[in-house]
Amino acid sequence: DSPALWRVDPPLTVGGDPAANVGTWTRLTPAQSSPVELYPSPDAAHLDWGQGPCSPQGCATPPAVWVSTLDGAAPQELTGVRSPAFAQDPAGAYYAYTRSDAQSTSSLFVARLDSKTDRKVDLGGTAADYRLLNYVWSPDGKQLALQILQRDSYTGAWEKIRNVLLGLPSYGTRELAGTGGLEPHVTWSPDGQRLLLTSTLQINNQYSLAFRLLDLTTNKVTQLDDKIALSNNDFTSLTNIFWIK
């Protein structure tokens, strides 16, 4: 069978036998589709998912984004939208995304879920000057943490990673302390006051994981490498990391 997304209603006990709890299943994606990713959204009436040629090693390009209703009706494509990240704040629901054309893969856009606004964010320079790596919403949905790999306009060499905060609804940006390394990730603390910045550092033939705690009130960076010492002769990187309250 091909990959599919399903809605399962609460299980129903048939004839008093708990083993017969089968529930009601509604297929949300067509038989010919190949969903590869789910995008958590504050819209409880719709399901946002990605479709594209991907393998267990990842996707060559970000999947195309589709939206399904929960009644099994035909899904609709969000044309041009790639890698959406959704957020909800008191003013409404938003999603950040990049576009599918080559000129916009490193350009950031923020749109309201009700389609009232769809705005490109100025990150400084042109798309050739930087590469947008990651963007993650704060727990309250009011700020977006960005990681941007900047290119030196004179030498053409890639420099350190810029860490930037985007605030809504003003769309103003705030430059934070920069970091370095490969495969960077950013994770918000539950209170929205700190960022955990991780990456892989290479020193000679040794790879180690770097952990930097960035306090947003002081912009002070605390190095945690001596407390979390993880290194290897083989390339080592983090795939996921989470805060625990």
Side-chain angles (χ1 to χ4, degrees):
D1 291 339
S2 62
L5 298 175
W6 297 78
R7 189 192 84 219
V8 184
D9 292 330
L12 305 175
T13 300
V14 180
D17 181 6
N21 288 344
V22 293
T24 302
W25 290 64
T26 302
R27 185 168 183 150
L28 302 180
T29 52
Q32 68 272 20
S33 64
S34 299
V36 294
E37 191 167 0
L38 279 174
Y39 303 107
S41 166
D43 182 2
H46 298 84
L47 188 69
D48 297 85
W49 51 280
Q51 173 176 258
C54 298
S55 69
Q57 287 71 41
C59 304
T61 58
V65 180
W66 291 74
V67 181
S68 294
T69 57
L70 299 185
D71 58 4
Q76 301 294 319
E77 183 178 5
L78 289 178
T79 305
V81 173
R82 295 294 185 270
S83 305
F86 293 88
Q88 174 82 54
D89 75 2
Y94 299 83
Y95 62 98
Y97 69 97
T98 58
R99 289 187 178 166
S100 58
D101 58 285
Q103 290 76 26
S104 293
T105 53
S106 271
S107 297
L108 180 74
F109 299 81
V110 176
R112 281 178 58 106
L113 210 57
D114 59 13
S115 302
K116 289 184 178 180
T117 60
D118 188 354
R119 178 169 171 174
K120 182 178 180 179
V121 178
D122 183 10
L123 299 177
T126 66
D129 297 326
Y130 62 84
R131 184 179 299 161
L132 182 59
L133 302 176
N134 299 304
Y135 43 96
V136 182
W137 289 101
S138 60
D140 62 7
K142 295 181 179 181
Q143 298 183 96
L144 187 68
L146 311 170
Q147 290 191 302
I148 304 166
L149 187 60
Q150 192 75 25
R151 185 194 297 272
D152 187 289
S153 58
Y154 180 73
T155 66
W158 292 107
E159 299 178 321
K160 286 188 175 182
I161 298 164
R162 292 172 55 204
N163 296 294
V164 179
L165 277 187
L166 170 70
L168 292 182
S170 68
Y171 288 84
T173 58
R174 172 187 167 194
E175 200 81 20
L176 304 173
T179 52
L182 306 171
E183 298 290 330
H185 294 277
V186 55
T187 308
W188 285 87
S189 64
D191 61 6
Q193 299 298 312
R194 292 168 292 172
L195 295 175
L196 180 61
L197 307 167
T198 62
S199 62
T200 298
L201 299 179
Q202 180 182 7
I203 302 176
N204 298 323
N205 294 322
Q206 189 83 4
Y207 296 94
S208 61
L209 297 181
F211 297 85
R212 306 288 186 266
L213 190 62
L214 174 58
D215 188 318
L216 295 178
T217 60
T218 64
N219 204 28
K220 178 183 177 181
V221 177
T222 302
Q223 182 172 313
L224 303 177
D225 299 9
D226 56 339
K227 299 179 175 61
I228 313 173
L230 297 173
S231 61
N232 203 298
N233 291 328
D234 297 323
F235 184 80
T236 304
S237 66
L238 286 172
T239 54
N240 293 289
I241 188 168
F242 305 94
W243 282 82
I244 299 176
K245 291 185 179 180

